[in-house]
Amino acid sequence: MQPLPITKYTAPQQNLNAKTTSNRNCKYRVKEVWRDITDFPPLDPSLCPSMKEDIEIAPADSMPLIALASFPRSGNTWSRSLIQIATGYSTGSVHWETERNLPRVREWFKAGVEDFMLRKGVCVKSHFYGPEHVPIFDDGAILLLRNPYYSLASEFLRFHSRQLNDTEDVVVSMIKNEDERWTRNYLPTYDKWKNTALSWITRCKRLMIVFYEDLERNTVYELTRMVAFLGQPIQPMRIQCAVHSYASMKGRMNHTSQMNFDPYTPALHELLDGYIDEVNRTLIRKQAMPLPTYKKYYQET
């Protein structure tokens, strides 16, 4: 298989620059996948519970090695859940050694309890981005990109509340009072958002980019794109059941209800806007779709 460039796409219901792919295990040409998804048959919700139960771990060495890469809090868990139901196969994780004893992983992401190099997962979660890591995925990657104004704040809340056991009120107060843990100590995580994006964009030889905001807005369409990229058959009922079963996860990372103020100081805005611009310029240079217009976390109406 010859590696492909970043997958370019136009607005929904249009063609993908007339390109096709011969990816291993692929039963559909990309141009066939991009048919009008309104042709999907109506959803039959009674079929969905069984589709959540029939997820399989693929045999060893039967799957292409494709990453589902992202900065934390960018929709990776949600996307894995959607992909599992849409394809019928479990997903793996490069973080399997630290995650394999988590109840959620053992119960739901079952291919994530074993070494991802066994190729038992239809795709592989990764929050890594180093120069030695990206080329491991010789069959490509899906890169999830989310507005960093939201993912950074969400990750800070997650880390302090879940790993340091601070209460949510304490963490929000920390941010509102411009505690140095938020304004200074957290700055390396800003770099991580930028470097995650830049490393996968510049080093991965076959890459599809999914914007989290597009996934929220048109989940069926974006999920269909991902399933096709993974080389799996398009099964409209499974795709619709995936969206039906996990639609409630869409808003779970939106923390505007906890913080009705702008958590970013002018200096943090300047830094983050520079990083957004750098990622955007890199995408344009690679002839990929530019980033959406990102709003600045909280704006009074």
Side-chain angles (χ1 to χ4, degrees), residues 24-25 55-68 80 83-84 87-94 108-125 137 139 230-232:
R24 183 168 64 191
N25 292 339
I55 310 300
E56 299 179 2
I57 300 173
D61 295 319
S62 67
M63 286 289 176
L65 197 60
I66 299 176
L68 182 65
R80 290 176 74 188
I83 288 168
Q84 289 194 162
T87 64
Y89 289 110
S90 186
T91 59
S93 174
V94 303
W108 181 231
F109 299 121
K110 294 181 179 180
V113 305
E114 296 183 275
D115 190 339
F116 71 97
M117 293 298 290
L118 293 173
R119 296 175 180 254
K120 290 185 174 184
V122 68
C123 64
V124 180
K125 167 189 171 180
F137 294 91
D139 293 306
L230 294 171
Q232 296 299 314

Side-chain angles (χ1 to χ4, degrees), residues 14 142 147 149 163-164 168 175 203 206 217 219 222 265 267 287:
Q14 297 182 15
I142 297 170
N147 183 344
Y149 277 104
Q163 306 216 186
L164 300 184
E168 189 175 281
I175 296 172
R203 293 190 172 101
R206 180 176 179 264
R217 184 166 44 249
T219 311
E222 294 299 325
T265 66
Q287 298 184 313

Side-chain angles (χ1 to χ4, degrees), residues 122-160:
V122 68
C123 64
V124 180
K125 167 189 171 180
S126 178
H127 291 323
F128 294 153
Y129 56 87
E132 298 82 17
H133 179 71
V134 174
I136 291 172
F137 294 91
D138 51 2
D139 293 306
I142 297 170
L143 175 63
L144 300 169
L145 289 176
R146 186 188 184 200
N147 183 344
Y149 277 104
Y150 285 86
S151 58
L152 282 163
S154 181
E155 172 62 4
F156 187 82
L157 279 157
R158 183 206 65 80
F159 178 76
H160 279 269

Side-chain angles (χ1 to χ4, degrees), residues 171-189:
V171 182
V172 171
S173 177
M174 193 186 305
I175 296 172
K176 191 169 189 177
N177 294 327
E178 299 181 8
D179 188 290
E180 68 175 9
R181 284 169 289 185
W182 167 247
T183 60
R184 189 175 68 181
N185 299 352
Y186 195 56
L187 292 182
T189 310

Side-chain angles (χ1 to χ4, degrees), residues 15-51:
N15 271 345
L16 181 65
N17 299 332
K19 289 187 177 181
T20 61
T21 178
S22 58
N23 185 29
R24 183 168 64 191
N25 292 339
C26 187
K27 299 180 181 178
Y28 288 79
R29 294 184 180 183
V30 171
K31 65 182 181 181
E32 293 170 345
V33 169
W34 290 76
R35 66 182 185 268
D36 187 345
I37 59 172
T38 59
D39 287 342
F40 281 8
L43 171 68
D44 181 354
S46 67
L47 300 176
C48 297
S50 63
M51 291 183 182

